[in-house]
Amino acid sequence: VKGNYVHHLAWYNDSMRNLLIEEQDLLNNVETSLANHEFEIYIQPKCNMKTGLIVGGEVLVRWNHPLKGLIPPTVFIPLFERNGFIKKLDAYVWEQAARWLHQRKQQGLSVLPLSVNVSRSDIFSMDVFAMIKALADKYELDAAWLEIEVTESAYSSRTDEIIQVISQLMNEGFTVSMDDFGSGYSSLNILKDININVLKLDMRFLDNNDRKSKDIVESVVHMAKWLDLKVIAEGVENREQVDFLLGIGCVYAQGFYYYRPMKLTAFEELIRDESKI
Ligand code: C2E
Ligand code: CA
Ligand code: CA
Ligand code: CA
């Protein structure tokens, strides 16, 4: 028994070490990666399901790693949240978004509101409001063009600080949305304490097709209406989901059924067709 245990421990240590080495590998030269433009902005359009028109887009970052290829944010964002690099990356991503909006305006092209993601650790490590405000000033942006998505789990503790940032942003006219709504245990409680503009329904809501799950989604959509919140469903992948959501009064969606996240150039190409917006 003991030998077996030691063997397992050795195996465990080995795989842990490999994992750590791999992480360390990724984290070693992130500053250089940023400077070398390895991080790239993608946009996923948000749609009005009634009209099929594009109403905005969410900015999602990708890492074009020279050796490892395209790394998804689900892999590197948690690492960066732990080592603190997330604040630099997010500041960079927000600036790319602001600059793009500025260029569109300069060139007299149509402008659609963009949302950017804010990590919980961003809020505690920098003045998110001051930074967003500074970007809007620098790039002469209408506050209505910028939406800030804060994930539901961000509200788990130190809520006073989070409420403070959110109300500053909303007072200035920026849109604030609660991302992944319904993914946690205290979703409803949070709504009692925090004013926001938009609820982004977590995509897991749409996974279950049973009556009870559907009733819950419907109640959430109705509740959002009472609270004067806009609702957008995430992860919409098929026509049945569209029909269901429209049937319960949810009009906005972001999901593969409409569009996958795409490079900025592809997004520009897409919205060049004015009949799509
Ligand atoms: P999120 O903010 O909830 O973003 C939506 C995620 O759902 C995106 O994954 C998107 O590609 C995916 N998605 C959209 N529609 C569908 C669908 O119909 N089906 C399925 N299966 N998935 C869909 P992505 O781009 O891999 O991003 C994952 C997460 O990484 C994001 O979740 C967000 O939490 C984080 N993230 C991405 N970019 C940034 C960023 O610039 N800053 C920060 N702090 N976090 C980011
Ligand atoms: Ca998001
Ligand atoms: Ca989400
Ligand atoms: Ca139009």
Side-chain angles (χ1 to χ4, degrees), residues 5-21:
Y5 171 74
V6 170
H7 173 79
H8 271 100
L9 202 65
W11 177 85
Y12 177 77
N13 281 338
D14 266 6
S15 50
M16 275 307 281
R17 195 174 308 117
N18 287 340
L19 209 71
L20 289 176
I21 288 171

Side-chain angles (χ1 to χ4, degrees), residues 226-245:
W226 293 328
L227 296 175
D228 245 344
L229 298 172
K230 204 174 125 182
V231 186
I232 176 163
E234 276 192 302
V236 173
E237 293 183 344
N238 57 54
R239 187 71 224 178
E240 291 69 57
Q241 292 169 336
V242 172
D243 292 337
F244 165 68
L245 288 164

Side-chain angles (χ1 to χ4, degrees), residues 77-270:
I77 296 283
L79 301 185
F80 293 168
E81 284 175 340
R82 262 181 278 141
N83 83 342
F85 183 67
I86 189 67
K87 59 177 178 176
K88 281 199 181 152
L89 179 61
D90 276 342
Y92 173 81
V93 169
W94 304 342
E95 176 134 23
Q96 298 300 305
R99 178 177 300 147
W100 185 78
L101 290 166
H102 175 77
Q103 285 169 355
R104 297 289 297 180
K105 186 180 152 195
Q106 290 295 94
Q107 294 163 7
L109 299 166
S110 47
V111 178
L112 290 172
L114 292 186
S115 62
V116 294
N117 288 286
V118 170
S119 279
R120 176 181 154 83
S121 54
D122 290 334
I123 294 174
F124 305 130
S125 61
M126 52 194 187
D127 190 339
V128 171
F129 168 68
M131 290 174 65
I132 298 284
K133 175 83 172 73
L135 284 176
D137 290 344
K138 177 176 173 188
Y139 291 104
E140 304 168 298
L141 306 182
D142 192 332
W145 295 349
L146 277 180
E147 180 173 336
I148 290 83
E149 299 193 1
V150 185
T151 182
E152 186 196 274
S153 60
Y155 304 92
S156 57
S157 61
R158 293 175 71 177
T159 42
D160 288 352
E161 289 152 272
I162 294 169
I163 289 173
Q164 159 88 4
V165 176
I166 287 174
S167 56
Q168 285 175 313
L169 286 165
M170 285 174 59
N171 285 339
E172 198 66 32
F174 300 106
T175 304
V176 177
S177 62
M178 188 184 292
D179 204 351
D180 310 318
F181 182 79
S183 61
Y185 290 106
S186 54
S187 316
L188 294 177
N189 259 321
I190 291 168
L191 288 185
K192 174 170 64 68
D193 299 328
I194 300 179
N195 272 317
I196 43 148
N197 305 110
V198 182
L199 274 192
K200 290 194 87 177
L201 280 187
D202 191 69
M203 51 183 105
R204 272 165 286 185
F205 261 139
L206 296 181
D207 279 353
N208 301 321
N209 232 344
D210 56 293
R211 187 71 259 156
K212 213 169 180 178
S213 304
K214 289 184 158 179
D215 286 346
I216 292 175
V217 181
E218 181 168 5
S219 318
V220 169
V221 171
H222 289 173
M223 179 198 63
K225 290 240 160 92
W226 293 328
L227 296 175
D228 245 344
L229 298 172
K230 204 174 125 182
V231 186
I232 176 163
E234 276 192 302
V236 173
E237 293 183 344
N238 57 54
R239 187 71 224 178
E240 291 69 57
Q241 292 169 336
V242 172
D243 292 337
F244 165 68
L245 288 164
L246 281 175
I248 62 171
C250 175
V251 175
Y252 299 100
Q254 182 183 338
F256 295 172
Y257 178 73
Y258 291 99
Y259 301 100
R260 288 183 179 253
M262 59 187 82
K263 288 173 188 266
L264 259 183
T265 47
F267 185 65
E268 286 167 353
E269 190 56 36
L270 181 69

